Amino acid sequence: MTETDTVFGKIARGELEADLVYQDDEIVAFRDLNPQAPVHILIIPRQPIATLNDVSVADATLLGRLLQVAAQLAKQEGIAEQGYRTVINCNAQAGQTVYHLHVHLLGGRALQWPPG
Ligand code: AMP
């Protein structure tokens, strides 16, 4: 798979089904197939950026919007007040498995710190 042909690229292009919870011109959000918490949503840019290492200053607004959408979804899902976590795994040692930048939104249970 190339960075433009990941499962998330296919979801962003509407070629693969996902449980979408948000979309606009730049961003798509959908429920994780293998949820690690009662709320586990992935927020991705439509643009195929492979990892956080690959962003530049030109992506700053887009990165901000990924977090803004995460906060909006946390409110929608009813977890904003109790608390939630946003995570971006970058590369293998952090556990990144899909090489299309994504923000995990996790909540609905107490989350341990530090993470494993
Ligand atoms: P990461 O380990 O940070 O790369 O996260 C990838 C996440 O994508 C994992 O939590 C997977 O469960 C999730 N995932 C993989 N394929 C799909 C899919 N087709 N739809 C929804 N979530 C997926």
Side-chain angles (χ1 to χ4, degrees), residues 37-105:
V39 175
H40 189 174
I41 291 171
L42 301 169
I43 302 117
I44 69 168
R46 289 190 188 273
Q47 188 187 331
I49 299 168
T51 80
L52 194 59
N53 286 338
D54 301 302
V55 304
S56 70
V57 71
D59 301 312
T61 302
L62 178 61
L63 289 171
R65 286 228 53 237
L66 291 171
L67 291 178
Q68 177 266 318
V69 168
Q72 180 181 314
L73 288 171
K75 285 187 194 125
Q76 252 171 253
E77 296 286 319
I79 57 171
E81 293 311 316
Q82 56 194 160
Y84 58 90
R85 186 171 294 163
T86 52
V87 174
I88 299 176
N89 294 323
C90 182
N91 277 342
Q93 200 158 352
Q96 185 173 3
T97 57
V98 179
Y99 283 80
H100 182 124
L101 182 69
H102 50 281
V103 176
H104 294 258
L105 168 65

